[in-house]
Amino acid sequence: MISNIIPFLLFVLCFWMLAQVDALPLKISPPHKRVLLLFALCILMVFAGGRWSHYEVGYDLPVFDYGTYKNIYLSPLYIPDFFQEYASAGYEIKSMEPGYLLYSSLCTLLFGSHYNLYLLFTNCILIILLYKSLRNNNIKYAYFFLLFFFASRLYLQYNFILLRHAIALSIVWAWGFPYLVKGNRGKFFLVVFSASLFHFTALLSLLALFFNRNFNVGYFIVGFAILMVLSITGVMDSLFLSLMQHGLSVVGISDGLGEKLGKYVADDDFRKLNVLTFIEAIPFGYIAIRYRKELCSTHWGRFYHNMFYVFMLLLALTMNFGFLTRACQYFIFSYFFLLAFYFQTAKPTTEKRYFLILLSCYFLIYSVRYIFIWFYEDKYSFFLLEN
């Protein structure tokens, strides 16, 4: 129903309008900009944090994991015997990482049975960490445009649905990558390990250990083309499924994580070609190629320049496996850095203005499409308006 998606459309339209503060030469005083930024951050905190759903079971619902997380929250593990209770728990408990279960169980001590307060509290932390990620990664420009990119491209997927993954992303972005760029590998390992306790995919971010080297972009382009051909022809599918099944049997993973991995990889619903993923990468590739020399002249720029190309390789590798493509999103933070770098470096020309307007319109269309696909049958409800 159209009425179901109106709140989502208004949400993304609001951030599209805010993005024009950066895309257009609008004269707004710094104090007013700070007020607008605070307003944008508060909207991000409340919109997903205040969600309410009548669904009580989450596994068979592609949109809301609301019921699943609610069941977990209302079944906390006893903290003094946490590991013992986790070891003897059922599938629903064991399918989630121990760090998230500990966090959820601790929050029940703060909020009791008020699950929606827990969601609001958690989402506030996520948005604060997003803002901290921008600051810690030496990103000082175009916050409105970057928040619009986040709201249209990641927010509805992660802050609404993939809560554990969103927490892991936020931890790696806010502390992991900054520590690594500054040369503190020990703290980077610690951050990644901590994030993996919320979602195991955080271990993939260990690839970032190699991003500070000088890369030959030509090799990446050739590798990308080869992986694209292998994925399109289905060769990569057969190879990956075989390796995954063999790997799980060798390691001996059979319950919890192993069952979930097997379901995701074998299920056709998670194996869909997503061409839009590569279309949206074109403007970021343009920035990376055109400003390569300027980017690679600093530690920060070289790190995120290289991250972009590795991200493209991973997307080509996993393009037919939606779950695995989703697991690579730690490296989408390179998009944030490249956008901010473009705002900082590119001269204020008509070309730049049109580039940003077209890019913002693409993200608007992307989010509207996503909303129609996933939220058309599921209305948005705010928990204070429900009994």
Side-chain angles (χ1 to χ4, degrees):
M1 295 176 61
I2 294 296
S3 60
N4 289 345
I5 63 174
I6 288 177
F8 296 99
L9 294 177
L10 292 175
F11 167 79
V12 76
L13 184 61
C14 172
F15 278 90
W16 180 81
M17 294 173 63
L18 286 173
Q20 306 315 309
V21 172
D22 290 325
L24 300 174
L26 301 177
K27 294 183 179 180
I28 302 178
S29 65
H32 289 159
K33 277 193 173 183
R34 286 193 289 270
V35 171
L36 282 177
L37 180 60
L38 180 60
F39 168 76
L41 293 173
C42 288
I43 293 296
L44 288 173
M45 290 177 183
V46 172
F47 190 67
R51 67 192 183 278
W52 179 90
S53 175
H54 64 277
Y55 294 126
E56 296 297 330
V57 179
Y59 285 114
D60 57 344
L61 298 167
V63 176
F64 289 105
D65 277 350
Y66 183 93
T68 301
Y69 284 114
K70 182 176 182 180
N71 292 341
I72 295 296
Y73 178 78
L74 296 179
S75 305
L77 301 180
Y78 183 54
I79 302 299
D81 298 324
F82 177 82
F83 292 103
Q84 182 178 350
E85 290 203 2
Y86 177 74
S88 60
Y91 171 79
E92 188 175 48
I93 295 291
K94 282 194 171 182
S95 67
M96 296 195 174
E97 289 77 4
Y100 175 77
L101 293 171
L102 178 61
Y103 168 73
S104 178
S105 298
L106 286 172
C107 284
T108 60
L109 301 178
L110 291 175
F111 306 110
S113 61
H114 299 289
Y115 172 62
N116 292 103
L117 290 180
Y118 160 73
L119 288 181
L120 182 59
F121 173 75
T122 301
N123 200 60
C124 286
I125 292 177
L126 291 177
I127 301 306
I128 291 172
L129 288 181
L130 172 66
Y131 179 74
K132 191 174 183 65
S133 300
L134 300 178
R135 303 288 294 183
N136 287 357
N137 283 281
N138 203 32
I139 295 175
K140 304 175 182 178
Y141 297 87
Y143 279 14
F144 295 109
F145 204 95
L146 295 179
L147 289 181
F148 169 60
F149 169 66
F150 175 77
S152 61
R153 181 60 177 81
L154 299 167
Y155 183 82
L156 297 178
Q157 293 95 318
Y158 289 88
N159 292 59
F160 260 82
I161 306 167
L162 309 171
L163 188 59
R164 300 181 343 270
H165 201 166
I167 295 173
L169 283 171
S170 300
I171 293 173
V172 172
W173 290 353
W175 291 295
F177 292 154
Y179 278 140
L180 187 57
V181 175
K182 294 175 182 178
N184 198 325
R185 292 194 172 194
K187 289 184 178 180
F188 171 71
F189 279 115
L190 181 61
V191 169
V192 171
F193 173 74
S194 301
S196 70
L197 294 178
F198 288 88
H199 204 271
F200 68 97
T201 56
L203 295 174
L204 188 64
S205 61
L206 290 174
L207 287 174
L209 288 165
F210 306 100
F211 291 172
N212 261 326
R213 301 180 180 182
N214 293 319
F215 286 169
N216 188 319
V217 175
Y219 291 153
F220 278 91
I221 294 175
V222 172
F224 176 80
I226 293 173
L227 290 175
M228 285 288 288
V229 171
L230 292 177
S231 295
I232 291 173
T233 57
V235 174
M236 188 60 67
D237 294 31
S238 301
L239 178 62
F240 185 83
L241 285 171
S242 177
L243 289 174
M244 174 62 74
Q245 292 168 358
H246 179 71
L248 289 177
S249 63
V250 170
V251 177
I253 299 177
S254 58
D255 61 345
L257 176 60
E259 290 184 31
K260 183 167 60 175
L261 277 173
K263 174 180 180 296
Y264 283 150
V265 172
D267 195 337
D268 288 338
D269 289 338
F270 291 93
R271 299 174 60 195
K272 297 177 181 178
L273 176 65
N274 189 357
V275 179
L276 285 177
T277 300
F278 299 101
I279 294 177
E280 77 174 11
I282 293 175
F284 298 99
Y286 163 77
I287 296 172
I289 293 172
R290 179 171 180 178
Y291 297 98
R292 180 188 176 191
K293 183 177 180 180
E294 294 89 338
L295 280 164
C296 293
S297 65
T298 67
H299 291 302
W300 290 101
R302 181 170 61 250
F303 181 81
Y304 283 109
H305 169 270
N306 294 341
M307 180 184 290
F308 169 77
Y309 286 106
V310 174
F311 185 43
M312 291 300 101
L313 285 179
L314 292 173
L315 291 180
L317 178 67
T318 64
M319 62 186 290
N320 291 341
F321 296 90
F323 166 69
L324 293 174
T325 300
R326 197 173 72 197
C328 301
Q329 297 302 305
Y330 295 90
F331 304 132
I332 203 173
F333 199 79
S334 59
Y335 286 11
F336 288 88
F337 189 91
L338 290 174
L339 272 177
F341 185 87
Y342 181 75
F343 272 92
Q344 177 185 1
T345 305
K347 295 180 180 179
T349 62
T350 302
E351 176 189 344
K352 178 180 180 180
R353 189 183 311 167
Y354 284 149
F355 176 83
L356 295 173
I357 292 174
L358 287 174
L359 189 58
S360 68
C361 288
Y362 167 80
F363 289 130
L364 179 63
I365 294 171
Y366 180 100
S367 60
V368 169
R369 173 183 174 272
Y370 184 88
I371 289 168
F372 268 92
I373 291 174
W374 294 107
F375 296 103
Y376 189 80
E377 301 295 336
D378 300 280
K379 71 175 183 177
Y380 174 81
S381 297
F382 192 76
F383 79 96
L384 291 178
L385 302 180
E386 302 295 335
N387 294 325

